[in-house]
Amino acid sequence: GWTETTGSNAETAIRCYLTVRRLVRDLRLVNSLPDVAGRSTELLPISIEEDDPPLEGSTLPLKFSNMLVCTSGQDTRCLIEHPTRFLLASPDLSNPGMAVVKTSAPLQFITPRIENAKPRILEIWLQVYASPGQAAPCGAPDSNGKQSYTVELQFNDARSCDAALRQLDRTRAHARRAMLMQLKHFLRGSIPPSQENSVHAI
């Protein structure tokens, strides 16, 4: 007959199935798999993002303790450390002490690297989905709204470039640990209501 243990096992199995289905559908985002079923409209029941993450066009206060200055093309950019997002901003000339976000992407969807032959250049490969009405940062998105592009950031010296890479590696690892923790709580049926506050304490 139906027991409490059986019910608990069934709930866990259902949670695992729903989560794995959602993750498999979104694997194409990082592995460029053929999009057979179309973009998933399901919301993954785990999130490390704040309710209102900084997006392109938003403004942030400049804090020299959490940013590195570089150039992207001919433009000056500030690589701003953030617990869940890759952020590039430009100083707001009309509002001293503030910066306008030019690039914003979830940390789990970027891949940073430095080529040995170019020790002052940090290459960032991004695969993100465009929000409805959002302009593509580089070329047009595909039929599912996915955009793939590369950003090259040039620093004054190799030391600064390496510091930027280590900063991104650290925050990406922290974000992944926070997501795994939330997934663990979800599968156990007890998502922390605080969204794991430790995410914001880098």
Side-chain angles (χ1 to χ4, degrees):
W2 182 269
T3 65
E4 184 176 348
T5 301
T6 303
S8 177
N9 290 339
E11 289 179 5
T12 299
I14 291 172
R15 287 177 181 275
C16 290
Y17 167 73
L18 292 175
T19 302
V20 170
R21 182 181 65 172
R22 175 66 169 84
L23 292 173
V24 167
R25 286 185 178 183
D26 283 352
L27 274 176
R28 65 182 183 283
L29 190 63
V30 291
N31 292 328
S32 299
L33 296 177
D35 195 353
V36 178
R39 182 182 178 185
S40 171
T41 58
E42 296 176 82
L43 294 177
L44 190 64
I46 58 174
S47 175
I48 60 171
E49 291 255 58
E50 53 207 31
D51 292 336
D52 188 22
L55 302 176
E56 285 88 349
S58 61
T59 57
L60 294 173
L62 282 176
K63 297 179 181 179
F64 294 101
S65 60
N66 72 337
M67 75 174 195
L68 294 166
V69 178
C70 57
T71 58
S72 178
Q74 300 297 317
D75 301 316
T76 299
R77 292 287 184 262
C78 301
L79 175 61
I80 298 178
E81 185 173 6
H82 190 271
T84 63
R85 291 210 153 235
F86 167 68
L87 296 178
L88 285 178
S90 176
D92 188 347
L93 301 180
S94 64
N95 193 359
M98 302 295 289
V100 179
V101 177
K102 299 297 184 179
T103 303
S104 176
L107 283 170
Q108 63 267 32
F109 295 147
I110 73 163
T111 304
R113 69 168 186 168
I114 299 175
E115 292 186 6
N116 292 333
K118 301 176 181 179
R120 295 193 300 118
I121 295 179
L122 178 61
E123 186 177 273
I124 311 290
W125 182 60
L126 302 96
Q127 280 195 301
V128 296
Y129 277 118
S131 301
Q134 180 183 1
C138 184
D142 63 17
S143 58
N144 291 300
K146 185 174 69 176
Q147 304 171 43
S148 302
Y149 60 103
T150 300
V151 175
E152 285 192 351
L153 306 179
Q154 184 166 336
F155 294 83
N156 288 332
D157 50 61
R159 183 177 179 181
S160 297
C161 188
D162 184 64
L165 177 62
R166 286 187 282 109
Q167 172 184 300
L168 288 174
D169 283 342
R170 182 177 68 253
T171 51
R172 289 173 69 232
H174 190 90
R176 286 196 297 269
R177 286 196 300 270
M179 290 191 73
L180 287 174
M181 181 64 70
Q182 290 230 358
L183 181 58
K184 178 180 177 181
H185 282 288
F186 172 74
L187 294 177
R188 288 181 174 177
S190 57
I191 302 176
S194 63
Q195 291 290 323
E196 295 295 340
N197 291 330
S198 61
V199 169
H200 304 286
I202 292 181

